[in-house]
């Protein structure tokens, strides 16, 4: 049950420490988000994991980085400071893809902005180092994990050094962190100096030339090389990508000036099912700290308050996704009993109205590794599980997920169980059994299913690491057939992306024609966002496909990007001029006119009193598409 008092939350003040009889914390966790004690928040998992193993953890949430005393609110920890910029990279949290400031922050009380700095992990770590010269600093979370080695930074348009160096920290615990943080804690507690903790899987440390103790380390192109030569950057990135698997990865070494080395140990092993169950059974309060109530709480909790995490990791391998670098490609799943136990607790929460909002993870319908060998030998280095076609070793099986969903919807007080994490339609197509799709349509969606084909041009889809458009079209036909069996009329709402590397104006026009045939305009259009540690970002920066080293067309000009985005929403009156220009540039003036196949009329007519041209801004009848 949720509670209103501070009792049960980890200490956030000296007073909280005194109530517990603590004179000193073992770890002080400095985080860029509000303090939310829920298993969807990384700092909550790591702090509870340490607590479960006997360590005292205090929380400093969103400290005022302009005041050095804000970092000493709980005093100096006995073992180390832990630093996490938040559940999102702080720059993605702050800025749109157009580099404009966002108007709200879902991870801050009341949705307020400006409560954390840009590059929060670095700023917090520097603040700690100025105040506590020798106390170990361990970085973690998505921001540190994806910036652990030299990386292209979209917001500064530069290749930045490893975050370890810029932050002045001692270690990075990358990935999900449960195994590595516990090994670090035990090493520090046993008296090992932080500079000597060079042996923990899932960590990055700093050392000097000649002091790498790993067996046959892999030397990446040096920092000076990759900043001077984009091909070297692409080569380095590919080596890193091929060493993200805990069973096959080597130790990576990156050289910097003055004989400085940054060393990345192989990733930590994935959690076993029992370990997953243990992690999600910790005594989370399930909500935000009560001190935030007066400000309206923390908006991010609303999305996950009544949701269940069933798995982590993803073998989907989309090029624009950073999951390979953070959670890995090996899917780890909780037991059905663990999930059901949490679901029963959810039904007792204040505000529960009978609806479980989601059961999933990065991909909802992944409940097992892609094939039998992955948990023993790891994933293939140069072969994807689903792209360009499903691997012959892939085991596409939804039986366990179907059983789980059936058990959840049979619980007392549960009216409906939704699946909103998103499903991989190509994985569904690889499974010849209609049972999952039928039960999904019958019980777990309401009127529409959201999936992510992302584009319709096979050239762009190849650059994205997504299956051919024919696979999506086959899924639509199967979805329509299964829906008829359920007696329901439900639709597919596709997520679409503009300006991905490989996408020309011609490809964007092809996408607009597809939207025309759908008969409705998407409410949202996603522009490709170059975030750290994705293959697509490597393409964006270098103009090269790191797999082949062949050139890739990259739409970087802001005006062209605006045109590609406008084409997705070509019916909006405010997009008229951009769409018209794009059609001229693409040599597709045949789409300007009053004929049914045209996107826009030949001229912009009067818009007096909010009226628009009869053929522009009006939903056009077309053949029915699902």
């Amino acid at each position: 049950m949720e509670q209103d008092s501070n009792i049960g939350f980890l200490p956030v003040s000296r007073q909280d420490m005194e109530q517990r009889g603590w004179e000193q914390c073992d770890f002080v966790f400095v985080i860029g988000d509000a303090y939310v004690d829920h298993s969807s928040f990384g700092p909550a998992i790591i702090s509870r994991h340490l607590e479960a193993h006997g360590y005292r953890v205090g929380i400093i949430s969103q400290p005022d980085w302009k005041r050095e005393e804000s970092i000493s609110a709980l005093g100096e920890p006995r073992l180390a400071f832990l630093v996490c910029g938040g559940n999102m990279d702080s720059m993605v949290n702050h800025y749109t893809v157009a580099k404009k400031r966002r108007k709200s922050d879902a991870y801050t009380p009341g949705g307020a902005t400006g409560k954390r700095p840009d590059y929060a992990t670095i700023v917090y770590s520097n603040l700690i180092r100025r105040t506590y010269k020798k106390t170990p600093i361990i970085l973690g979370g998505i921001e540190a994990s994806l910036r652990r080695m030299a990386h292209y930074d979209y917001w500064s348009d530069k290749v930045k050094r490893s975050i370890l160096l810029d932050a002045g920290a001692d270690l990075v615990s990358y990935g999900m962190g449960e195994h590595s943080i516990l090994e670090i804690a035990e090493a520090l507690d046993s008296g090992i100096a932080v500079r000597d903790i060079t042996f923990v899987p899932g960590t990055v440390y700093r050392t000097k030339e000649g002091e790498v103790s790993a067996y046959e380390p892999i030397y990446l192109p040096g920092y000076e090389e990759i900043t001077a030569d984009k091909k070297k950057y692409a080569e380095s990135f590919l080596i890193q990508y091929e060493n993200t698997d805990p069973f096959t990865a080597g130790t990576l070494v990156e050289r910097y000036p003055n004989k400085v080395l940054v060393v990345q140990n192989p990733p930590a092993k994935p959690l076993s099912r029992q370990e997953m169950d243990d992690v999600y059974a910790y005594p989370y309060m399930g909500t935000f700290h009560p001190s935030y109530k007066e400000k309206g709480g923390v908006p991010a909790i609303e999305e996950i308050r009544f949701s269940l995490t069933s798995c982590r990791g993803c073998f989907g391998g989309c090029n624009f996704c950073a999951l390979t670098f953070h959670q890995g490609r090996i899917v780890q799943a909780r037991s059905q009993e663990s999930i059901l136990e949490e679901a029963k607790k959810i039904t007792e929460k204040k505000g529960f109205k009978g609806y479980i909002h989601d059961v999933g993870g990065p991909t909802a319908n992944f409940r097992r590794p892609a094939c039998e060998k992955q948990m023993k030998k790891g994933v293939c280095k140069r072969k994807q599980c689903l792209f360009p076609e499903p691997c012959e070793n892939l085991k596409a099986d939804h039986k366990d997920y179907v059983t789980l969903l059936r058990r959840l919807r049979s619980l007392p007080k549960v009216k409906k169980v939704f699946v909103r994490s998103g499903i991989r339609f190509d994985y569904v197509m690889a499974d010849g059994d209609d049972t999952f799709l039928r039960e999904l349509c019958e019980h777990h969606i309401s009127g529409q299913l959201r999936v992510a084909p992302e584009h319709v041009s096979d050239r762009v889809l190849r650059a994205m690491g997504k299956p051919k458009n024919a696979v999506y079209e086959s899924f639509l036909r199967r979805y329509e057939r299964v829906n008829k069996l359920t007696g329901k009329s439900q639709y597919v709402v596709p997520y679409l992306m503009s300006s991905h590397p490989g996408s020309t104006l011609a490809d964007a026009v092809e996408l607009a024609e597809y939207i025309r045939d759908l008969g409705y305009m998407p409410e949202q259009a996603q522009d490709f966002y170059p975030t750290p540690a994705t293959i697509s970002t490597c393409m964006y920066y270098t103009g090269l496909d790191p797999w082949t080293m062949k050139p890739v067309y990259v739409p970087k000009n802001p005006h062209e990007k605006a045109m590609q985005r406008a084409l997705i929403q070509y019916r909006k009156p405010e997009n008229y001029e951009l769409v018209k220009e794009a059609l001229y540039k693409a040599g597709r003036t045949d789409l300007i006119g009053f004929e049914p196949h045209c996107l826009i009329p030949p001229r912009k007519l009067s818009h007096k009193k909010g009226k628009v041209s009869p053929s522009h801004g009006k939903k056009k009848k077309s053949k029915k598409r699902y």
Side-chain angles (χ1 to χ4, degrees):
M1 294 290 289
E2 295 173 283
Q3 301 180 29
D4 292 334
S5 71
N6 291 17
I7 298 173
F9 287 89
L10 297 174
V12 298
S13 66
R14 288 279 194 175
Q15 183 180 356
D16 289 348
M17 291 172 61
E18 291 169 2
Q19 287 178 349
R20 290 180 173 232
W22 294 6
E23 291 186 5
Q24 187 180 31
C25 295
D26 294 321
F27 294 95
V28 171
F29 211 148
V30 180
I31 59 177
D33 293 337
Y35 174 30
V36 181
D37 193 29
H38 187 282
S39 58
S40 291
F41 287 70
I45 288 181
I46 295 301
S47 57
R48 289 297 185 184
H49 188 54
L50 287 167
E51 179 190 49
H53 288 83
Y55 296 99
R56 297 176 174 183
V57 184
I59 306 290
I60 296 179
S61 168
Q62 297 187 321
D64 183 350
W65 67 96
K66 299 170 186 175
R67 296 172 53 250
E68 293 194 2
E69 58 268 27
S70 67
I71 212 72
S72 56
L74 302 181
E76 183 179 14
R78 182 174 68 90
L79 297 176
F81 277 98
L82 309 178
V83 179
C84 172
N87 260 24
M88 295 173 65
D89 185 284
S90 61
M91 300 304 286
V92 177
N93 178 281
H94 287 171
Y95 300 98
T96 68
V97 66
K99 300 183 181 180
K100 295 180 180 179
R101 274 277 180 180
R102 298 191 192 273
K103 297 178 180 179
S104 63
D105 181 350
Y107 295 94
T108 295
T113 59
K115 298 299 181 181
R116 84 183 89 203
D118 288 354
Y119 305 107
T121 301
I122 293 172
V123 174
Y124 292 151
S125 185
N126 290 164
L127 182 61
I128 294 167
R129 186 58 74 215
R130 289 197 300 270
T131 307
Y132 299 100
K133 305 296 184 185
K134 297 182 180 180
T135 310
I137 300 174
I138 318 299
L139 309 181
I142 192 81
E143 186 167 84
S145 186
L146 301 186
R147 296 171 180 267
R148 59 189 184 256
M149 305 299 273
H151 56 279
Y152 171 70
D153 179 73
Y154 171 67
W155 303 272
S156 63
D157 194 26
K158 294 179 181 177
V159 175
K160 285 185 171 287
R161 304 189 304 171
S162 164
I163 196 172
L164 186 69
L165 302 181
D166 287 343
D170 296 287
L171 290 171
V172 173
S173 170
Y174 70 88
M176 299 305 284
E178 291 96 346
H179 283 157
S180 58
I181 197 63
L182 197 57
E183 285 194 57
I184 293 167
E186 290 170 348
L188 290 171
D189 201 24
S190 69
I192 297 176
V194 70
R195 64 178 178 275
D196 295 326
I197 303 177
T198 61
F199 49 84
V200 176
T203 61
V204 177
Y205 65 92
R206 170 180 175 164
T207 189
K208 292 183 179 180
E209 199 78 55
E211 295 183 7
V212 178
S213 58
Y215 177 70
E216 294 186 348
I218 301 168
Y219 281 82
L220 302 172
Y223 179 70
E224 292 178 317
E225 288 183 89
I226 64 173
T227 54
D229 185 342
K230 290 184 177 181
K231 186 176 181 181
K232 287 292 183 183
Y233 181 96
E235 291 173 357
S236 176
F237 183 87
L238 183 59
I239 294 170
Q240 292 175 57
Y241 189 89
E242 292 179 334
N243 284 275
T244 53
D245 181 80
F247 294 93
T248 63
T251 299
L252 304 182
V253 182
E254 192 169 61
R255 289 188 173 96
Y256 287 85
N258 301 318
K259 298 184 178 181
V260 172
L261 302 179
V262 171
V263 183
Q264 175 185 300
N265 287 320
K269 291 289 193 294
L271 298 186
S272 66
R273 177 153 293 192
Q274 184 60 58
E275 288 173 324
M276 283 281 284
D277 288 354
D278 291 345
V279 163
Y280 286 90
Y282 292 145
Y284 305 102
M285 300 302 289
T287 189
F288 52 80
H289 193 272
S291 62
Y292 306 138
K293 273 195 170 183
E294 291 183 3
K295 296 180 180 179
V298 181
I301 193 68
E302 298 308 318
E303 288 294 319
I304 46 87
R305 187 192 298 272
F306 303 122
S307 296
L308 296 161
T309 299
S310 68
C311 61
R312 64 170 60 163
C314 180
F315 53 78
C318 298
N319 286 346
F320 50 80
C321 180
L323 274 167
T324 294
F325 269 75
H326 189 59
Q327 292 192 8
R329 287 169 56 193
I330 298 176
V331 171
Q332 303 141 74
R334 298 166 63 184
S335 70
Q336 292 190 16
E337 288 67 31
S338 168
I339 297 168
L340 286 162
E341 188 61 34
E342 184 179 351
K344 291 173 186 175
K345 293 177 181 177
I346 282 179
T347 65
E348 301 300 324
K349 283 186 176 184
K350 181 180 178 181
F352 181 74
K353 297 179 180 179
Y355 301 98
I356 293 176
H357 294 166
D358 190 21
V359 184
T363 302
N365 54 324
F366 289 175
R367 282 277 297 161
R368 53 176 296 151
C371 68
E372 298 295 340
K373 78 174 187 66
Q374 286 188 348
M375 288 300 290
K376 294 180 180 179
K377 297 181 180 179
V379 301
C380 300
K381 281 194 174 188
R382 285 235 168 189
K383 189 176 182 181
Q384 295 289 344
C385 303
L386 285 167
F387 174 80
E389 295 175 348
C391 174
E392 62 274 12
N393 295 318
L394 175 73
K395 297 205 65 151
D397 187 345
H398 289 86
K399 293 185 181 67
D400 178 67
Y401 193 41
V402 167
T403 302
L404 171 62
L405 293 173
R406 287 173 178 171
R407 294 178 73 183
L408 286 169
R409 65 178 186 255
S410 69
L411 290 175
K413 301 183 181 182
V414 173
K415 297 177 183 177
K416 192 174 181 76
V417 179
F418 288 99
V419 174
R420 289 177 175 164
S421 290
I423 66 164
R424 282 293 295 231
F425 62 83
D426 47 349
Y427 187 68
V428 172
M429 294 305 293
D431 183 358
D433 188 344
D434 279 345
T435 304
F436 167 68
L437 189 56
R438 179 164 182 165
E439 296 204 11
L440 181 73
C441 294
E442 195 166 0
H443 300 289
H444 303 292
I445 60 176
S446 183
Q448 59 187 31
L449 173 67
R450 295 183 180 273
V451 294
E454 306 295 355
H455 216 283
V456 297
S457 164
D458 285 344
R459 179 170 57 244
V460 180
L461 290 168
R462 186 166 58 250
M464 290 177 163
K466 299 285 285 186
K468 290 182 178 180
N469 187 50
V471 180
Y472 178 60
E473 294 292 337
S474 297
F475 172 76
L476 293 180
R477 293 190 291 271
R478 185 175 179 186
Y479 178 79
E480 180 179 4
R481 175 178 61 78
V482 170
N483 260 293
K484 286 180 179 178
L485 296 175
T486 68
K488 295 187 177 185
S489 179
Q490 300 184 117
Y491 300 88
V492 166
V493 177
Y495 286 113
L496 302 170
M497 184 186 295
S498 63
S499 302
H500 188 276
S503 176
T504 64
L505 274 179
D507 296 311
V509 171
E510 183 181 347
L511 182 57
E513 291 184 281
Y514 173 80
I515 293 166
R516 173 200 63 200
D517 294 341
L518 282 178
Y520 80 97
M521 184 180 69
E523 293 180 5
Q524 294 180 327
Q526 181 185 3
D527 199 357
F528 168 65
Y529 203 149
T531 55
T534 74
I535 291 175
S536 299
T537 299
C538 180
M539 290 181 188
Y540 176 88
Y541 171 61
T542 65
L544 300 169
D545 180 343
W547 293 108
T548 64
M549 291 301 164
K550 292 181 179 179
V552 177
Y553 176 76
V554 180
K556 284 190 176 183
N557 182 282
H559 190 64
E560 181 186 349
K561 288 166 69 72
M563 286 191 288
Q564 290 208 23
R565 184 183 179 92
L567 281 162
I568 292 180
Q569 296 177 312
Y570 67 88
R571 291 194 184 101
K572 281 191 171 184
E574 60 268 31
N575 287 342
Y576 180 89
E577 293 298 338
L578 284 168
V579 173
K580 181 180 177 182
E581 182 183 354
L583 294 176
Y584 269 95
K585 285 182 177 292
R588 293 301 307 274
T589 53
D590 59 301
L591 297 175
I592 302 174
F594 294 104
E595 292 80 9
H597 74 280
C598 292
L599 300 181
I600 57 173
R603 60 189 178 89
K604 191 172 184 182
L605 301 181
S606 174
H607 289 260
K608 292 179 181 179
K609 296 183 180 179
K611 294 182 180 179
V612 299
S613 161
S615 62
H616 180 54
K618 183 178 179 181
K619 184 176 179 179
K620 177 177 67 64
K621 292 181 180 179
S622 66
K623 63 182 181 179
K624 193 173 185 181
R625 294 295 304 272
Y626 292 85

